[in-house]
Amino acid sequence: MENRIREARRSKEISLEELAAKVGVSRTTIANYERHDTEPKLDTWKKLAEVLDTTVGYLQGLEDVHVIKLDPSKHPRYAELLDDRNKLESELLFLLMAYDGNVQMDGDVTRTTKNEIHELVHSLTKYLIH
């Protein structure tokens, strides 16, 4: 079974040398893993998954879903993205309440406006869930 080490490394824009240094092995060893010449030991799989922000199962080709594990300390934009998501959730709550008539909106809420709100709520919900 082919592993996804090279794919994950390239998606993170990490060089062979950088990955090798972070995992604690040589550049040649990483290249051998990527060419499927040798297989990492379990501890090395775990280090690779940690450095590449994913799971061992994904790297091994056992899982089809690429799970990205976010560590806020490694991702400077994490707080900003979380804040954006929280703002979207607040907007969504307001729109849902307006749609249900629990909040007074400026102007008349026509049938067209309600349909537009419904479409926006649906789009935001799909975005926030995924």
Side-chain angles (χ1 to χ4, degrees):
M1 181 174 297
E2 292 195 12
N3 69 57
R4 296 184 176 119
I5 297 171
R6 177 178 289 145
E7 172 190 326
R9 177 180 61 79
R10 286 182 175 169
S11 76
K12 297 272 300 170
E13 299 179 356
I14 297 175
S15 69
L16 280 170
E17 293 80 8
E18 187 178 354
L19 181 59
K22 289 181 177 188
V23 173
V25 298
S26 71
R27 177 197 184 284
T28 304
T29 300
I30 296 292
N32 287 337
Y33 294 159
E34 290 185 352
R35 285 192 310 265
H36 317 288
D37 292 342
T38 58
E39 188 76 15
K41 294 186 186 225
L42 181 57
D43 287 347
T44 306
W45 277 118
K46 289 177 182 177
K47 288 178 188 174
L48 286 164
E50 181 181 332
V51 170
L52 296 170
D53 294 325
T54 191
T55 64
V56 171
Y58 179 80
L59 288 178
Q60 292 175 332
L62 301 174
E63 299 170 0
D64 289 332
V65 177
H66 181 74
V67 176
I68 299 173
K69 295 183 173 184
L70 289 180
D71 177 355
S73 66
K74 290 184 183 178
H75 301 278
R77 290 199 59 230
Y78 182 82
E80 179 184 335
L81 293 171
L82 186 60
D83 188 46
D84 288 348
R85 181 184 173 130
N86 289 339
K87 287 176 186 173
L88 280 173
E89 287 175 343
S90 296
E91 281 294 311
L92 176 60
L93 180 60
F94 176 80
L95 289 172
L96 284 170
M97 290 169 42
Y99 181 74
D100 289 338
N102 296 329
V103 169
Q104 183 64 41
M105 294 180 69
D106 293 336
D108 294 330
V109 179
T110 64
R111 185 182 242 339
T112 303
T113 306
K114 282 194 171 192
N115 288 338
E116 289 171 356
I117 291 172
H118 178 73
E119 287 176 24
L120 181 58
V121 165
H122 181 71
S123 296
L124 284 172
T125 303
K126 283 176 56 178
Y127 170 78
L128 292 171
I129 290 173
H130 300 300

